[in-house]
């Protein structure tokens, strides 16, 4: 699918991997709506790329519906959905004091990363399937963001790994389900990337993390994630696949 002139939605587009993805799509000519729970971050990225900033909480159907309607009014129906919004969090099942992890902590990560992403998928896909088919019957592309934690979850990452593992497992059935309408689905599972969260770590900690990556021995660049996301849109035969983007990293238990 061509990016030039095509309307795109980027959740979590106000920072990190989402911001880099919004920039890359805009660079290649897409009309980008930047959706983020942080309106200031969304506005900053949107100003930079000439896009549209929309405050959006992906766990809220009402918030998503309002954002999709505003994006549609400004750019026309979206054929591209980049699901990058998500949260982290690390907590052991049993704490040092012997108490169990609060179930609310587990639910929150699942609700944002898994349920929230599916919420965006179902609402955006419902609009995509009504669009006029393009070449080869294509109507849309959905790209989700998982993590290598889906495969190599570390101690304390039970909630995060489960949420990202859910996205990995969703990819193929979603692609099969939406194939009848010409909507493709793929997922990127990034490793250690130099996002704002890692930027806050001391330099020696960053270097230690980078040393664990076989090659190249550095943290991933958000632009590399964005380039892959854009390639998935352009490559019409990429469908139902989860792609690890991690420099051959396999995470240790801790």
């Amino acid at each position: 699918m061509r990016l030039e002139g095509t309307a795109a939605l980027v959740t979590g587009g106000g920072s990190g991997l989402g911001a880099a993805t919004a920039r890359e799509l805009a660079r290649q000519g897409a009309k980008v709506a930047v959706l983020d729970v942080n309106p200031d971050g969304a506005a900053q990225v949107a100003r930079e790329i000439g896009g549209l900033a929309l405050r959006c909480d992906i766990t809220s159907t009402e918030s998503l519906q309002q954002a999709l309607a505003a994006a549609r009014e400004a750019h026309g129906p979206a054929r591209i959905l980049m699901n990058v919004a998500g949260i982290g969090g690390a907590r052991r099942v049993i704490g040092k004091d012997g108490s169990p992890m609060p179930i609310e902590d587990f639910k929150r990560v699942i609700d944002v990363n898994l349920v929230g992403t599916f919420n965006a998928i179902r609402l955006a896909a419902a609009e995509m399937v009504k669009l006029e088919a393009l070449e080869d019957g294509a109507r849309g592309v959905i790209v989700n963001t998982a993590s290598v934690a889906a495969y190599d979850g570390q101690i304390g990452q039970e909630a995060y790994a489960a949420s990202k593992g859910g996205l990995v497992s969703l990819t193929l059935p979603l692609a099969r389900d939406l194939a009848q309408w010409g909507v493709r689905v793929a997922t990127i599972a990034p490793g250690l990337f130099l996002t704002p969260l890692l930027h806050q770590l001391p330099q020696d900690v960053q270097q230690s993390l980078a040393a664990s990556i076989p090659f190249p021995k550095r943290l991933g660049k958000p632009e590399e994630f964005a380039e892959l996301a854009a390639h998935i849109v352009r490559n019409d035969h990429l469908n139902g696949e989860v792609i690890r983007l991690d420099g051959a990293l396999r995470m240790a238990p801790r």
Side-chain angles (χ1 to χ4, degrees), residues 7 15 61 64 70 103 107 125 132 134 162-163 170 180 188 200 202:
S15 65
T61 295
L64 268 167
I103 194 62
K107 287 181 176 180
E132 181 179 351
L134 303 174
S163 69
L170 266 177
Q180 60 187 309
I188 302 173
Q200 296 173 11

Side-chain angles (χ1 to χ4, degrees), residues 123-171:
L123 295 175
E127 297 188 0
M128 289 179 188
V129 300
K130 299 172 185 175
L131 300 178
E132 181 179 351
L134 303 174
E135 185 179 358
D136 291 337
R139 286 187 172 86
V141 182
I142 296 169
V143 179
N144 301 317
T145 306
S147 166
V148 295
Y151 307 96
D152 313 326
Q154 296 183 296
I155 292 171
Q157 283 191 323
E158 284 85 349
Y160 184 72
S163 69
K164 296 302 187 177
L167 294 177
V168 168
S169 297
L170 266 177
T171 304

Side-chain angles (χ1 to χ4, degrees), residues 155-197:
I155 292 171
Q157 283 191 323
E158 284 85 349
Y160 184 72
S163 69
K164 296 302 187 177
L167 294 177
V168 168
S169 297
L170 266 177
T171 304
L172 183 57
L174 279 173
R176 288 171 165 172
D177 194 344
L178 296 175
Q180 60 187 309
W181 288 289
V183 176
R184 292 187 290 116
V185 182
T187 297
I188 302 173
L192 296 174
F193 273 71
L194 196 54
T195 59
L197 179 63

